[in-house]
Amino acid sequence: MKNLRNCKKRNYMQTLIFFLFLTSGVVAQKLTKQEAIRLTLENNFGILIATNDIQIASNNKNILNSGYLPNVTGDAAAVYNRDNIEAQFANGETNILNGAESDRYNAAVNLNYTLFDGLGRWYNYKRLKEQYNLTELQARETIENTILQLFTVYFEIARLTENVAILKETLQISEERITRSNYQFEYGQNTKLDVLNAQVDVANDSINLINTKQLLVNTKRDLNLIVNNDLTKTFEVDTTINFVNRLQIDGFLEKSFENNVRILRNQSNIKINEYDLKVSKSGYLPTIGLTGTYGWNKNNNNAAAFLATLTSDGLSASVNLSWNLFDGGRTITEIKNAKIALETQEIQQEQLEQEVKRDIANALGNYENRLKVYEIQQQNVVTNQNNFERSKERFNLGQITSIEFRQAQINLIQAQTNKTLAKYDAKLAELQLLQLTGQLLNIEF
């Protein structure tokens, strides 16, 4: 009876501590999928760097970097002379000037403008615009990879959260079993071995729960790093999963080549190589330039000069043509290399298309397979739940041993955790398929 009272007292204290924990603990804020995406887009280091790259590319494609605007320079100078001069004239007279002073001033505004450079400037300008498009595609690829990384961690947190709930329930059942075993032992309905077995199971369930909780805390830190949050920030995640309609996925598959970011990026590289080739060919054509100058000059001469002061200003302009008839073969070599680079890029395009076809086929197969596994695991949980309930009734009636009851409990735990794993595996497989079809950023999470 003394052991029975101690058992009741221990259960009462556990219940009290659990209640105090619930009432005094701070409820963690829920981090929805949409909020996680928003934080990632705003704060993720990789995305911030990609955004800066876009700004640089935007600056480069600006008219100020195109070469279409003229160069305007300003020049100014001032010269001061102090000379000792001995001037001998034709009539034999000699004039000596000591410390004769003179000064000169001039200023000019110069304009240089290339009227025609063999269209090299035009194609280079188009190349810069295409380089901007390529940078945007690279940033999009960075965002897609980051979002996929985000949800890989997010769904892992959701899976561990569900596992913690499963293990808590398991631990509660095992603790109830200890209480029942103690009652039965006090009344001589079982042996001490049944009590010890129940205690061992509680210890194992407690260890599993502790380890899973720690893994959950560590994974939350990983997510805080992705969204650039305080690493100690705690939160809960949304464990609901909605799959995209299969008809919608079929539509995405039909236009996958039009939207796949890797294919689009390589197509952009092909255009850039085409412009490089045209820029190289512009070396065969002449360059026509315009030069203009407006200048002002003033000379204050010394006494030995014929004119004491001379001031002038005026405008001059010229058009010049330069044609590099032969540059030692540099232009020919550049054109040959540009053609080879373009051909290489086109070969890579063919290779990339084959790789994307394979990746999409594999991703689609994985997605369909994991959906089937998830359906099977859902049914498996129902079966094991029914089996556990029946085993629990029979155990309470003394019709099965504690070992048989524990096995039914373990089977249920495995079925529940396998179902949770299958659910998030299927969703991640779907996201990978959507990324390959270029639709990852166009769906509702």
Side-chain angles (χ1 to χ4, degrees), residues 1-18 175 178-179 182-183 186:
M1 293 300 295
K2 182 179 180 181
N3 290 337
L4 180 60
R5 287 194 298 270
N6 290 337
C7 181
K8 289 182 177 179
K9 183 178 180 180
R10 183 172 62 252
N11 289 339
Y12 172 78
M13 291 302 296
Q14 289 175 346
T15 303
L16 179 60
I17 293 172
F18 180 72
E175 288 176 341
I178 283 185
T179 302
N182 278 317
Y183 285 152
E186 290 291 334

Side-chain angles (χ1 to χ4, degrees), residues 152-206:
T152 299
V153 179
Y154 188 95
F155 289 147
E156 178 65 8
I157 293 173
R159 185 184 73 85
L160 291 172
T161 300
E162 293 193 40
N163 285 354
V164 166
I166 293 169
L167 294 174
K168 281 183 178 179
E169 183 179 354
T170 301
L171 179 59
Q172 182 181 359
I173 293 173
S174 297
E175 288 176 341
E176 292 173 356
R177 191 173 131 217
I178 283 185
T179 302
R180 184 175 184 80
S181 296
N182 278 317
Y183 285 152
Q184 291 174 338
F185 178 70
E186 290 291 334
Y187 289 101
Q189 295 178 356
N190 63 11
T191 64
K192 187 66 176 178
L193 180 61
D194 291 328
V195 177
L196 294 176
N197 285 335
Q199 291 175 345
V200 169
D201 292 339
V202 166
N204 290 333
D205 292 342
S206 298

Side-chain angles (χ1 to χ4, degrees), residues 21-284:
F21 173 78
L22 287 179
T23 56
S24 62
V26 177
V27 179
Q29 181 181 0
K30 188 166 221 180
L31 180 65
T32 64
K33 301 181 185 72
Q34 291 77 15
E35 180 67 9
I37 293 174
R38 185 189 67 80
L39 291 173
T40 302
L41 294 177
E42 291 180 358
N43 303 321
N44 180 266
F45 293 115
I47 293 178
L48 292 176
I49 293 173
T51 302
N52 286 341
D53 290 339
I54 291 178
Q55 292 178 352
I56 292 174
S58 177
N59 293 335
N60 287 338
K61 76 179 183 69
N62 194 281
I63 188 68
L64 297 175
N65 191 47
S66 65
Y68 275 106
L69 300 180
N71 293 325
V72 181
T73 60
D75 300 318
V79 179
Y80 171 79
N81 294 318
R82 183 182 177 87
D83 303 312
N84 296 321
I85 301 173
E86 181 178 339
Q88 187 171 3
F89 297 95
N91 58 7
E93 293 183 4
T94 300
N95 189 5
I96 297 176
L97 300 174
N98 292 323
E101 297 181 344
S102 63
D103 51 71
R104 298 191 302 273
Y105 305 94
N106 64 77
V109 177
N110 306 304
L111 180 144
N112 291 291
Y113 184 66
T114 301
L115 297 174
F116 180 75
D117 66 344
L119 297 178
R121 176 177 53 182
W122 166 248
Y123 290 120
N124 187 63
Y125 184 43
K126 297 185 73 172
R127 183 190 186 280
L128 291 173
K129 286 187 174 181
E130 190 59 42
Q131 187 67 48
Y132 171 77
N133 294 335
L134 175 61
T135 305
E136 281 193 324
L137 289 171
Q138 291 170 338
R140 173 187 152 187
E141 187 173 24
T142 298
I143 293 173
E144 287 183 356
N145 291 334
T146 304
I147 294 299
L148 192 60
Q149 179 189 16
L150 166 69
F151 279 107
T152 299
V153 179
Y154 188 95
F155 289 147
E156 178 65 8
I157 293 173
R159 185 184 73 85
L160 291 172
T161 300
E162 293 193 40
N163 285 354
V164 166
I166 293 169
L167 294 174
K168 281 183 178 179
E169 183 179 354
T170 301
L171 179 59
Q172 182 181 359
I173 293 173
S174 297
E175 288 176 341
E176 292 173 356
R177 191 173 131 217
I178 283 185
T179 302
R180 184 175 184 80
S181 296
N182 278 317
Y183 285 152
Q184 291 174 338
F185 178 70
E186 290 291 334
Y187 289 101
Q189 295 178 356
N190 63 11
T191 64
K192 187 66 176 178
L193 180 61
D194 291 328
V195 177
L196 294 176
N197 285 335
Q199 291 175 345
V200 169
D201 292 339
V202 166
N204 290 333
D205 292 342
S206 298
I207 292 172
N208 290 336
L209 179 58
I210 291 171
N211 289 336
T212 304
K213 282 184 174 180
Q214 184 58 50
L215 186 57
L216 176 60
V217 171
N218 294 344
T219 310
K220 286 183 178 181
R221 290 195 189 98
D222 293 338
L223 186 61
N224 279 328
L225 180 62
I226 293 175
V227 301
N228 194 15
N229 249 343
D230 182 1
L231 294 180
T232 61
K233 185 177 179 62
T234 184
F235 53 85
E236 300 297 331
V237 298
D238 185 5
T239 58
T240 59
I241 292 295
N242 297 313
F243 292 98
V244 178
N245 183 278
R246 181 53 196 261
L247 291 177
Q248 193 174 5
I249 288 181
D250 290 339
F252 294 157
L253 291 171
E254 292 177 0
K255 298 182 178 180
S256 57
F257 271 38
E258 299 176 17
N259 299 310
N260 180 273
V261 69
R262 292 176 61 199
I263 290 180
L264 293 175
R265 186 162 50 83
N266 199 74
Q267 289 174 347
S268 182
N269 278 320
I270 289 176
K271 291 181 181 179
I272 290 174
N273 280 292
E274 290 174 345
Y275 291 138
D276 285 339
L277 177 59
K278 292 176 179 179
V279 169
S280 298
K281 289 182 176 180
S282 68
Y284 286 142

